[in-house]
């Protein structure tokens, strides 16, 4: 997986949690929602079908792993998973924890309220929490 570069907007909006076999797991720096993106470390892809069959299977397995971790940690009312890529063409899969009491419910999160950055301490805690849970689940 050489020559991989993260899109500048994803770099700006997120922090690395951990790397899995295929994807970088990144936390979006918006404290309004626990929000993870998976970014396959493959060059020049914008859609899931751009991945080969083995990579597609790995993406869904890693998405399931992250989903289980988020559901265990945050017990959401709904876990939204989507690959939109309208603003950022690089393939990335959103995993967004939603609650009936969150600031955007029941609407989609985009364009509803301004992003609210984590404090440095809260960001580090959230990353460590998610990283530990993913690692624990991947070892089962």
């Amino acid at each position: 997986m050489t020559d991989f570069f993260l899109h500048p907007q994803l770099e700006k909006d997120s922090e690395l949690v951990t790397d899995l076999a295929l994807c970088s797991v990144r936390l979006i720096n918006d404290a309004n929602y626990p929000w993870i993106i998976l970014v396959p470390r493959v060059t020049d892809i914008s859609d899931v079908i751009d991945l080969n069959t083995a990579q597609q299977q790995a993406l869904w397995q890693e998405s399931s792993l992250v989903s289980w971790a988020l559901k265990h940690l945050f017990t959401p009312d709904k876990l939204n998973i989507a690959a939109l890529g309208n603003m950022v063409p690089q393939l990335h899969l959103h995993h967004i924890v939603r609650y009936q009491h969150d600031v955007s419910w029941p609407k989609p999160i985009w364009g509803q309220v301004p992003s609210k950055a984590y404090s440095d301490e809260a960001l580090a805690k959230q990353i460590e929490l998610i990283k530990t849970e993913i690692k624990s689940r991947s070892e089962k």
Side-chain angles (χ1 to χ4, degrees):
M1 294 185 205
T2 58
D3 299 332
F4 171 77
F5 294 98
L6 186 64
H7 188 282
Q9 190 65 50
L10 297 179
E11 180 79 38
K12 177 180 176 273
D13 293 345
S14 66
E15 296 291 330
L16 180 65
V17 174
T18 191
D19 282 326
L20 300 173
L22 177 69
C23 296
S24 285
V25 179
R26 301 187 65 88
L27 176 67
I28 296 292
N29 190 2
D30 184 350
N32 288 311
Y33 326 89
W35 180 358
I36 292 290
I37 58 171
L38 291 182
V39 184
R41 292 184 315 278
V42 178
T43 58
D44 299 324
I45 58 168
S46 57
D47 295 298
V48 173
I49 59 171
D50 296 335
L51 299 169
N52 66 38
T53 301
Q55 291 168 332
Q56 288 178 33
Q57 290 171 347
L59 175 62
W60 297 126
Q61 289 170 340
E62 292 178 6
S63 175
S64 291
L65 173 65
V66 167
S67 296
W68 279 111
L70 293 174
K71 280 196 113 168
H72 175 78
L73 289 171
F74 301 107
T75 59
D77 294 320
K78 180 71 174 106
L79 181 60
N80 293 162
I81 300 172
L84 302 172
N86 296 337
M87 300 298 290
V88 175
Q90 182 176 40
L91 177 61
H92 57 288
L93 191 60
H94 298 269
H95 296 69
I96 308 163
V97 172
R98 298 298 307 273
Y99 300 102
Q100 291 181 13
H101 64 271
D102 74 39
V103 294
S104 298
W105 185 272
K107 297 178 182 174
I109 62 169
W110 289 276
Q112 300 302 317
V113 297
S115 176
K116 181 171 80 174
Y118 289 96
S119 69
D120 290 345
E121 181 182 341
L123 182 65
K125 274 176 111 169
Q126 191 80 310
I127 288 170
E128 190 57 34
L129 179 72
I130 295 168
K131 182 179 188 175
T132 300
E133 185 65 23
I134 289 171
K135 185 174 191 255
S136 169
R137 290 195 169 271
S138 67
E139 292 171 351
K140 291 181 179 177

